[in-house]
Amino acid sequence: MPFHVTKFKVELKLAINRLKLLQVKKSSLNLKARREIAPLLEAGKIESATVRVENIIREDLNVEALEMVELYCELLIARVGLVDQSRTVDPGVSEAVHSVIYASSRVDVRELTMLREMLTAKYGKELVLEAMDNSTGLVNAKLVRKLSVNTPPDSLIRMYLTEIASFYHVKWRPDEDVTPGGSDDDTPSGGLKEPESVIPVVPAESEPSAVVGEGSGDELASDKDEALPSVPLAKPTAATTATAIAATDELETEGPAAEPPIILPRAATPSKAPATQPAANKAKASPQQSSDGGIPSLEDLQKRFEALKRA
């Protein structure tokens, strides 16, 4: 088929529309397939769900590849002048041309086949064969990976199964058994729960008589006496005994609901002096008030000091 710019642009637009329709169709089919996997997970059929998930992953990658090819077709429409002017592939459209030719043999789109024939007439058969085999490495690496037929890794399969189970509210976890009805434990339990091992715990503040076989009573008593230091106790006095008895009587009369009284220590009261003092104590006066005593008053001292100044 000879190359014509107008025909080339029309085929690119038709290819874009067909690629969009394929993306919508494959996405709807994948959604239906996901809905069918949820009952399999709920029933424990993990192997069947895994096989179907591999097909879903492959279709999802194909949808992403179709989207990339669609973008390359739009790029060729925008730069169609570079394709028309030169007989060799321009660097600005080299990746787009090689990627479209590479996808034409791997995607079921008739318009891509027409574009490949027109590019063969434009650039030659040798370039088309190199692009189909990707011998020059000019095809987009992501497009090559998405159009490959390799088996998806187990981590990706587990991630898909977890996402489907979470979306449809299915109780399934990735760490469960792969084989339906299997068990991680090879030895059967017999349906009985094994008793837990009971470790006897001896209290820290237990009496010596509660421990049997640890030694005689005299040895334990001596050890206890050595461990506890001796504290001297104060001897009770008559005042403290009377105070304690009075406090006890008040607690018994008030009843259990009454709050305990606060007992303050009693201060020693000084003995009262007799009302009448002897006449000898009244006769005692201060040295300053006695005029006949040996100690002169302040006025006498001032007079003597003035007399000395005058002399």
Side-chain angles (χ1 to χ4, degrees):
M1 179 181 292
F3 178 82
H4 296 284
V5 178
T6 306
K7 181 69 174 177
F8 186 71
K9 291 177 65 175
V10 171
E11 292 295 336
L12 285 173
K13 291 179 181 179
L14 292 175
I16 290 173
N17 293 332
R18 182 65 62 87
L19 290 170
K20 288 181 179 179
L21 290 176
L22 276 178
Q23 292 177 39
V24 174
K25 181 180 179 180
K26 288 181 178 293
S27 298
S28 61
L29 291 176
N30 276 356
L31 183 60
K32 182 180 179 181
R34 289 168 184 260
R35 196 178 299 112
E36 293 175 354
I37 288 177
L40 296 177
L41 291 176
E42 190 173 4
K45 299 180 180 180
I46 310 301
E47 292 181 351
S48 301
T50 303
V51 173
R52 297 194 181 190
V53 161
E54 290 183 6
N55 190 22
I56 291 175
I57 294 173
R58 191 173 294 109
E59 291 298 327
D60 284 346
L61 294 176
N62 287 335
V63 170
E64 295 177 2
L66 293 176
E67 185 178 359
M68 294 181 66
V69 176
E70 178 188 349
L71 294 176
Y72 282 128
C73 291
E74 292 179 356
L75 180 63
L76 288 175
I77 292 176
R79 300 179 182 180
V80 69
L82 298 176
V83 180
D84 187 26
Q85 291 177 1
S86 60
R87 297 292 299 176
T88 59
V89 182
D90 190 90
V93 294
S94 177
E95 184 177 349
V97 168
H98 284 79
S99 298
V100 169
I101 295 173
Y102 180 83
S104 63
S105 60
R106 293 167 176 81
V107 178
D108 189 13
V109 177
R110 187 178 61 86
E111 287 76 12
L112 293 180
T113 305
M114 299 294 293
L115 291 172
R116 183 184 64 193
E117 293 178 359
M118 297 177 71
L119 292 173
T120 302
K122 178 67 176 178
Y123 297 117
K125 190 175 181 179
E126 184 179 357
L127 183 140
V128 173
L129 292 176
E130 291 177 354
M132 292 177 66
D133 297 335
N134 194 22
S135 58
T136 56
L138 296 176
V139 182
N140 193 335
K142 291 183 179 180
L143 182 63
V144 174
R145 288 197 301 269
K146 293 181 186 298
L147 291 177
S148 63
V149 292
N150 297 330
T151 305
D154 294 339
S155 59
L156 186 60
I157 295 174
R158 294 280 185 177
M159 185 180 66
Y160 264 74
L161 291 175
T162 306
E163 182 183 358
I164 292 172
S166 176
F167 184 79
Y168 291 101
H169 306 287
V170 178
K171 294 182 180 180
W172 181 85
R173 294 180 300 174
D175 55 352
E176 291 183 356
D177 306 327
V178 178
T179 57
S183 176
D184 294 336
D185 191 4
D186 295 334
T187 57
S189 60
L192 298 177
K193 183 179 179 181
E194 296 180 358
E196 298 180 356
S197 59
V198 180
I199 301 175
V201 179
V202 179
E205 298 180 355
S206 60
E207 295 295 333
S209 59
V211 182
V212 181
E214 295 289 337
S216 61
D218 297 337
E219 294 178 356
L220 293 174
S222 61
D223 295 340
K224 185 176 181 180
D225 295 339
E226 292 177 359
L228 298 176
S230 60
V231 180
L233 300 176
K235 294 182 179 180
T237 60
T240 56
T241 304
T243 304
I245 293 173
T248 306
D249 295 339
E250 291 178 3
L251 289 175
E252 292 178 354
T253 55
E254 291 178 0
E259 296 182 356
I262 300 174
I263 302 172
L264 299 176
R266 298 182 180 179
T269 56
S271 59
K272 296 182 179 180
T276 58
Q277 294 182 356
N281 293 336
K282 290 184 178 181
K284 291 182 179 181
S286 60
Q288 296 180 358
Q289 293 179 359
S290 64
S291 58
D292 298 336
I295 300 175
S297 63
L298 182 60
E299 295 178 357
D300 296 336
L301 291 175
Q302 289 179 355
K303 290 179 182 180
R304 291 180 183 179
F305 185 70
E306 290 177 358
L308 289 174
K309 283 184 177 181
R310 291 174 186 174

